[in-house]
Amino acid sequence: MDHDPLTTWFWQGAAEGVLLVQRCEECGHHQFYPRPFCLRCESDRVVPIEASGAGTLYSFTVVHVSTGLDVPPPYAVGLVTLDEGPRLLARLVGLDHTIGDRVTVRWRDGNPHPVFGPAARPASR
Amino acid sequence: MRSRPWDVYVTGVAETPLGEVTGQTELSMVALAAREALAEAGLGLKDVDGLFVNYLGEQGSVQVGEYLGIQPRYADSTDLGGAAFAAFVHHAMLAVAAGRCEVALVAYASRQRSRRVRRLGETPDPYTLIGQFQAPHGLPRPIGHYALIAARHMHVYGTRPEHLAEVAVAARRWARLNPKAWVRTPLSVDDVLTSRMISTPLHRLDCCLVTDGGGALVITGRAVASGAAKRPVRVLGAGESHTHWQISQMPDLTVSAGAVSGREAFAMAGIGPDDVDFTEPYDSFTITPLLAFEDLGFCGRGEGGEFVSGGRLGPGGELPSMTSGGGLSYNHPGALGVQLLVEAVRQIRGEAGERQVPRHRVGLVHAVGGCYSAASTVILAQD
Ligand SMILES: [Zn+2]
């Protein structure tokens, strides 16, 4: 199967548990998913940078039907607005969330897709 | 009546067979509806020189043209999902006004119920953006996307599940007056709220039907319209837009492409929401019309919940809407656009029987496609 050549670095980062987004060195704009240039100023000077992994839950839904995935329902899927600006769709840890919650990225063994959970309190790991 | 550059009319409409359709294909259903709509317009298939169709096989209008024996001089198979058909009216209006075709045929049919072709998942293809960044997360398509929109609206504006349920109840009250509606049993807010949860906050009864169906309409200029068997209905204005393909890229989940399609349609028509007697909003899910009323300016931002409540949309209400029973209770063949237009035309002509709205000078059709990705608006009026 063909792979998307513009997202190779994203998936390489994900495999190592690092969340990468594009940053424009010209105007400072962050964008996700990757494009060949900055959508705000059209500069070519876009580079992958490590996102903080922190964000705010913009919306979420608890899915009660099977979509043919490995995970049986119910499970939560949400939109997270990263502190850097871009918004992404991801599975959430657990079912009990509130829009506006602070969340951070998590990684699961053998799964390349980032998930988000409640922002870690200082003592937890 | 003042002549405008877009002096264009809907001169014939028809539904395909509806519900669970056997002994037909999508193409034969479209053929039947096209012949009936053209007869209302005082025309035949041989008169059609503009073809506006999609979702009936590869290459859009090409297969339909062959099936109907039409060689168009204007062909359009714009793909805006369920919003394509009101957009076709927009395009047909401009094509007819510019003299690029004289008789435009817009048509659609689906046997999605009988053929059981609906599925909720997406393909995790590593080449596509949807495959990489949306499909793997298990958001059911399209309901999960509308659920995210509804959840955000509830969070920002305090919209409640009861408000959403009001939309389903209004649609059902209309369906009870439509002999062609798929479901005609009484429905209460409580019934909606206690139906099975699918994707929070949307229940089973917040979702549209899955049925077979479709329809056709004929659009012509003034001269051709004068030969119609039924009273022509004028196209006053139209607009279209789209905002995103992946739900993560929708700029604001509480503002849809309808804000642009509505603004454009009203500007072209030279009227505002207060001039509209009734509406046919695409009710794919209960949140869809609720948000549309805000986007179109029928109420303020965040006021959609209150606006759809208190019987305003139902029979006898201030703004009759979904008057066929809509996608929620009348029929939903995957794309309801053509049938929204058919219903609006019949209401304006005053031939809607038991469900006829009392004031029917101006009707607004608002269609939505994809995962609230695209929207198109058409304003129709008595001549
Ligand atoms: Zn830039």
Side-chain angles (χ1 to χ4, degrees), chain A residues 1-5 7 10-11 32-35 57-67 69 75-79 87-91 98-100 108 113-114, chain B residues 120-121 124-129 131-140 144 147-149 151-152 155 196-201 246-254:
Chain A
M1 216 185 287
D2 274 350
H3 284 255
D4 178 351
T7 60
F10 175 83
W11 295 115
F32 186 82
Y33 49 91
R35 271 88 163 193
L57 190 57
Y58 179 75
S59 190
F60 79 100
T61 181
V62 177
V63 178
H64 290 268
V65 289
S66 172
T67 52
L69 285 192
Y75 55 83
V77 186
L79 288 167
R87 189 178 299 148
L88 36 96
L89 184 73
R91 198 76 64 80
T98 304
I99 296 176
R108 298 163 294 181
H113 300 287
Chain B
L120 289 170
D125 179 339
Y127 189 75
T128 67
L129 294 165
Q132 295 176 84
F133 300 117
Q134 189 164 284
H137 307 299
L139 187 66
L148 290 173
I149 289 169
R152 179 75 192 169
H155 173 77
R196 188 161 81 94
M197 185 59 82
I198 307 289
S199 186
T200 61
Q246 296 176 60
I247 193 66
S248 66
Q249 305 301 306
M250 185 170 180
D252 180 340
L253 260 62
T254 65

Side-chain angles (χ1 to χ4, degrees), chain A residues 24-29 38-43 46:
Chain A
C24 175
E25 294 192 307
E26 198 68 42
C27 77
H29 177 59
C38 172
L39 276 193
R40 186 204 269 169
C41 75
E42 300 189 17
S43 164
V46 281

